[in-house]
Amino acid sequence: MRKFFASAIAVASTLSVVSGVVAISLGAAVAVGPTTHYVARSGSVGVGSGCSSPGFVGATHAAIQAAMNAASSGDTVYVCAGTYSISTRLEITKSLTLTGAGAASTTLDGGGTTQILIVQDANLNDGVSGDEITANIKNMSFVNGYASDFLQNGSECDDGNRCGGAIFVENESLTNVSGVHFRNNKALFIGGAFARFIGNWATVPSVIESSSFESNKAGFDGGAVATLFGFGFTINRSTFYQNGLLPTPNARSGAAIIANFANATINDSTIVDHEAPSGISVLYGGLTLNRTIVAQSSGSTTDVCDPYAQQTVDGARGNLVTDASCQNVSQSKAAAGPGNSARVTMSELNLGTFAFRGYATKTIPLLAGSSALDHGSGCTGDDQVGTSRPQGSGCDIGAVERATSSGINTVDVSTWSYGGNTLYRDAVSPVALVSPPTDAGGQGVSYGSQTTGICTIDAQTGALTLVANGTCTLVARSTGYLNNDESSATKTLTVAATTPTTTTTTTTTTTTTTTTTPTSIVPTTPAATTAPATSSTSTTQPTGTVVAQTPSPSAVTPTTIVTKSPATTDGISQSEVALIVPTTVTVGQESEVSATTTTSIAKERVKNAAIEPATVAPRIAEADPGDGSLTIGGQEVEATLERVNDQIVLNAAEMSATVSAISKDGSTTPLDGDGVLRLGDDDQIRVAATGFAPDSEVEIWLFSTPVLLGKVTVAGDGSASAIFEIPTGTESGNHRVALNGKNSNGDDASFVVGFVFGDSPSGVSAARKLLISIPIGFAMFAALLVPARRRRKVSLV
């Protein structure tokens, strides 16, 4: 009998494993803990163990909702990196955690037409305690949500109607939001990003913390956040920037936050530059603030506090505000004394720009000398980005504590070049950037013009448009990154009307031949290549070096690689001669060149590497358009390929590379319908990467015919970026761009991304099109049909 039960248990265990059912012992039930359900934007459904083998696949709301429906109370739904289109509102009706890979990685996008999420307990409107649910929402972005009048003038907030463009919380649901970025969400009634409608004046503890709110708008009240008819709501360590009310006659109160027939506490937060019609305040209702900045730039008609529903801001709460609208807060910081609420100016606050800054959510940092530094007391734990508090003698006011290790992300303009200090309006416009300025943090700079009547500049690409003659004054600004403050520096150029005519002179040499037998032979040094000119005149001059000007700016000429083909009788083929170009080119400046060149001289330069060394083209991996790879130490590694904001992004092994096309007007060229990077004749290619060895060099190569586009010096944080023109004469068709260098361990590392150049219909391979078009259910079968070369270690998301 004992053997019978043992056999029965063994059989039952085997059956449970095969069927996927959790095994239950005969003696007692086995407790099953919370489960994580993974949702990936693309790929094949796997065993559900992670993003590489998700249980649910799809780029829309359907996959996420299916995972939440399958989850049990207390489970987690993990939404992997990528942007998910939400055209039907998601619903949480049980206790669970909805989390992503980070606010900069996982995005739920309502497309400007759909409310993204509603949280509601089992019994709407019943007011019965004990059946509440708890929803934890973490580590993702909610963008372009829209709470419209979908009930056609039904009761406000009934089933989320017109309330909470991104998230609406109904009745007694407990909702905790952490590490979430809200951007460009709208609600026709209240709470552009987030609205909570308790409805029965109950105390329902809920928290928003370590989150950021940007450019959210409401029609009536609470541009970013609204809580109505309930208590127990807290906002901790969060940043609010440029939210507001829609400019309609309906706008009433709370450009940023409203607590109406309710209360809320705001701790250690930063609330800056909100917009509303005149007479409407940033804050409204029963709000109590501690160690918080509420600031409006000079000239704003929007006050901080509402005069009729005064907020609790004054006293030893340590708040800093920029006007006298808050009750009992009118003294300067010096007059109020340490730890007390005070009125300050924007310049005294010395705030940085609103950005991700290398962290999970966007922040506005305190720059050196800010009046908010060390002003408060009583802070504990971490700030919005995880810096422990306090860092100095006291608590910094606002969402972000300035680390004691903070420095300046200085801008170096010595490398900033357009090929010359004088630019000509009759040349090609806009004028492309030849080499950018650099910043100490290696994050890249943004551009501006201080003389827009003379020149304008694209803020991202640095391309110049020449408007009139005169002195063009430009500014390059670095972003604050981690513990580095932003900085800026200027550069001046001269703008002239017409490119001067280029003159090339030719030398004449007389050779005398004698019959005397020479006692020695002196080799003749060949002349160098004559610089090209748009027009020329020739005169007889003494033998010597001539200065040739090339004032019209252009991108740096790439180095074309010399490759040995079968030798001719002269030891070099004519195809080799045709490929030779100088390895060092000065553009838009005076450069010394000799008068003439010949085929025989070009041959001699190939034979003598000391005169003109050739660059050796690397061996790189194959990559069809829309595909990519990363090779480290000669071996391909697992990589993830994403398409973000019309850019190809390849991530693997703590390294990443981003490749995009830049159009003539400086904007990013959209990917085609297959998600392929496709460059036209006027486009440039932009590359950026992280994870390379600091202070090393990264070579940027164009294939099929190998061309070295240029070399980029890696910044101290391992990043590098540059923009290149596609060389003239490049054939239309499929190409690859490769970024070759050393990783932080000193190993050879090579990113390769495939793209299409010109009008060629070539693009995504047939195999990849098959994968795109087939149903998910056939994905594993289809994978067997893809050639081995296409099944590289890259996941498309």
Side-chain angles (χ1 to χ4, degrees):
M1 183 66 70
R2 188 177 298 118
K3 290 182 179 180
F4 170 79
F5 277 115
S7 299
I9 293 173
V11 171
S13 300
T14 301
L15 290 175
S16 67
V17 170
V18 172
S19 63
V21 178
V22 176
I24 305 297
S25 71
L26 297 182
V30 176
V32 179
T35 299
T36 298
H37 306 267
Y38 290 91
V39 181
R41 189 179 185 279
S42 61
S44 301
V45 174
V47 298
S49 59
C51 291
S52 60
S53 183
F56 302 86
V57 172
T60 70
H61 56 275
I64 301 173
Q65 190 63 60
M68 292 195 294
N69 293 343
S72 299
S73 181
D75 284 357
T76 293
V77 173
Y78 186 98
V79 184
C80 302
T83 297
Y84 298 77
S85 176
I86 311 299
S87 57
T88 298
R89 181 181 65 183
L90 299 170
E91 296 189 356
I92 295 178
T93 57
K94 67 190 74 168
S95 292
L96 59 77
T97 295
L98 176 65
T99 186
S105 299
T106 299
T107 299
L108 307 186
D109 190 341
T113 61
T114 306
Q115 185 180 49
I116 298 175
L117 174 67
I118 184 172
V119 181
Q120 53 188 357
D121 63 17
N123 296 296
L124 308 182
N125 305 316
D126 69 348
V128 175
S129 178
D131 65 348
E132 299 87 355
I133 65 172
T134 298
N136 300 310
I137 302 165
K138 304 163 57 178
N139 306 328
M140 56 177 57
S141 285
F142 287 75
V143 304
N144 304 321
Y146 181 51
S148 63
D149 190 11
F150 58 83
L151 292 185
Q152 300 300 311
N153 296 310
S155 300
E156 279 95 359
C157 296
D158 186 16
D159 195 31
N161 191 51
R162 303 197 295 167
C163 301
I167 299 175
F168 178 68
V169 180
E170 191 164 35
N171 293 305
E172 298 171 8
S173 305
L174 288 75
T175 304
N176 302 310
V177 174
S178 177
V180 172
H181 180 59
F182 297 88
R183 178 177 58 81
N184 198 36
N185 301 287
K186 293 181 176 64
L188 284 185
F189 184 37
I190 65 168
F194 180 96
R196 194 179 85 130
F197 193 101
I198 301 304
N200 55 10
W201 288 274
T203 298
V204 181
S206 294
V207 176
I208 293 176
E209 62 185 10
S210 300
S211 295
S212 49
F213 294 78
E214 174 187 9
S215 301
N216 304 287
K217 299 291 175 63
F220 283 72
D221 310 293
V225 172
T227 179
L228 273 63
F229 300 103
F231 310 101
F233 187 51
T234 304
I235 298 173
N236 294 326
R237 307 180 303 279
S238 294
T239 298
F240 296 76
Y241 180 66
Q242 289 189 347
N243 303 283
L245 301 181
L246 297 171
T248 69
N250 298 323
R252 299 188 303 195
S253 58
I257 305 167
I258 179 176
N260 203 17
F261 302 103
N263 67 16
T265 300
I266 303 173
N267 299 316
D268 303 298
S269 294
T270 301
I271 305 169
V272 175
D273 279 345
H274 287 72
E275 301 173 302
S278 180
I280 295 175
S281 59
V282 175
L283 307 174
Y284 185 90
L287 300 173
T288 299
L289 278 64
N290 299 297
R291 296 180 301 275
T292 291
I293 293 171
V294 191
Q296 294 289 105
S297 295
S298 60
S300 172
T301 60
T302 303
D303 291 336
V304 169
C305 293
D306 180 80
Y308 303 106
Q310 287 289 347
Q311 290 71 57
T312 304
V313 179
D314 61 328
R317 301 182 183 280
N319 301 297
L320 296 176
V321 299
T322 53
D323 62 39
S325 61
C326 300
Q327 190 173 21
N328 301 322
V329 184
S330 59
Q331 291 183 311
S332 67
K333 176 184 170 182
N340 292 311
S341 297
R343 181 180 177 181
V344 295
T345 65
M346 285 290 278
S347 60
E348 288 173 332
L349 285 171
N350 197 19
L351 302 175
T353 55
F354 179 72
F356 276 113
R357 312 180 68 83
Y359 292 106
T361 51
K362 288 190 175 183
T363 60
I364 299 176
L366 304 175
L367 305 184
S370 171
S371 59
L373 297 174
D374 300 331
H375 179 63
S377 60
C379 60
T380 58
D382 294 340
D383 71 355
Q384 180 178 332
V385 298
T387 302
S388 61
R389 307 186 101 153
Q391 286 281 305
S393 59
C395 305
D396 295 348
I397 307 305
V400 179
E401 188 84 2
R402 181 178 171 83
T404 55
S405 58
S406 293
I408 308 296
N409 188 11
T410 52
V411 177
D412 178 8
V413 296
S414 64
T415 60
W416 193 359
S417 173
Y418 293 92
N421 292 323
T422 299
L423 305 179
Y424 300 92
R425 291 168 56 205
D426 66 341
V428 177
S429 184
V431 182
L433 186 68
V434 172
S435 62
T438 58
D439 62 302
Q443 299 307 299
V445 302
S446 61
Y447 302 93
S449 171
Q450 296 179 351
T451 53
T452 54
I454 304 297
C455 59
T456 61
I457 189 168
D458 185 280
Q460 280 73 48
T461 67
L464 275 180
T465 298
L466 308 180
V467 180
N469 297 351
T471 299
C472 167
T473 302
L474 305 172
V475 59
R477 301 181 181 89
S478 67
T479 185
Y481 183 73
L482 298 177
N483 293 330
N484 289 325
D485 293 345
E486 57 254 43
S487 182
S488 64
T490 60
K491 177 182 180 65
T492 59
L493 299 165
T494 299
V495 178
T498 306
T499 305
T501 300
T502 301
T503 301
T504 303
T505 61
T506 305
T507 63
T508 302
T509 303
T510 301
T511 303
T512 301
T513 305
T514 68
T515 58
T516 303
T517 303
T519 57
S520 62
I521 300 175
V522 180
T524 301
T525 302
T529 306
T530 302
T534 55
S535 63
S536 63
T537 59
S538 298
T539 58
T540 302
Q541 299 288 343
T543 303
T545 301
V546 181
V547 174
Q549 294 183 342
T550 310
S552 179
S554 64
V556 174
T557 304
T559 300
T560 304
I561 307 312
V562 177
T563 56
K564 279 289 188 180
S565 58
T568 64
T569 55
D570 293 325
I572 181 171
S573 70
Q574 293 298 318
S575 64
E576 289 178 313
V577 174
L579 287 173
I580 298 172
V581 299
T583 57
T584 302
V585 180
T586 304
V587 183
Q589 302 178 28
E590 292 185 348
S591 57
E592 292 189 348
V593 297
S594 297
T596 60
T597 185
T598 65
T599 300
S600 62
I601 293 171
K603 295 175 183 177
E604 186 65 29
R605 294 169 76 186
V606 172
K607 296 176 183 178
N608 188 348
I611 296 175
E612 189 67 54
T615 304
V616 179
R619 299 183 63 181
I620 67 168
E622 295 294 330
D624 290 333
D627 196 3
S629 71
L630 171 60
T631 302
I632 296 179
Q635 299 295 320
E636 285 193 54
V637 298
E638 295 287 347
T640 299
L641 188 147
E642 301 178 81
R643 293 164 178 81
V644 181
N645 297 328
D646 290 313
Q647 303 176 106
I648 301 295
V649 182
L650 198 60
N651 295 291
E654 300 182 351
M655 302 185 73
S656 71
T658 301
V659 181
S660 59
I662 306 300
S663 65
K664 188 174 182 180
D665 63 5
S667 62
T668 301
T669 302
L671 302 177
D672 70 10
D674 290 323
V676 170
L677 186 65
R678 186 180 288 271
L679 280 76
D681 291 337
D682 294 330
D683 289 338
Q684 297 172 301
I685 191 164
R686 175 194 284 162
V687 296
T690 61
F692 283 104
D695 303 318
S696 64
E697 278 193 340
V698 175
E699 294 180 346
I700 315 301
W701 288 83
L702 175 68
F703 288 79
S704 300
T705 300
V707 174
L708 178 60
L709 297 180
K711 299 179 181 181
V712 183
T713 300
V714 179
D717 65 346
S719 65
S721 62
I723 298 173
F724 299 97
E725 290 193 2
I726 301 299
T728 301
T730 300
E731 294 184 357
S732 296
N734 296 350
H735 294 272
R736 291 164 289 160
V737 62
L739 290 73
N740 286 351
K742 300 283 188 181
N743 67 5
S744 58
N745 295 324
D747 299 320
D748 291 334
S750 176
F751 283 105
V752 178
V753 173
F755 68 96
V756 177
F757 174 72
D759 298 327
S760 170
S762 302
V764 180
S765 67
R768 186 170 180 273
K769 288 183 177 179
L770 175 63
L771 286 175
I772 292 172
S773 62
I774 61 172
I776 291 173
F778 294 101
M780 292 185 65
F781 171 74
L784 299 176
L785 305 180
V786 181
R789 185 174 59 85
R790 295 288 301 128
R791 293 200 305 271
R792 66 173 71 258
K793 301 176 182 178
V794 174
S795 303
L796 299 176
V797 297

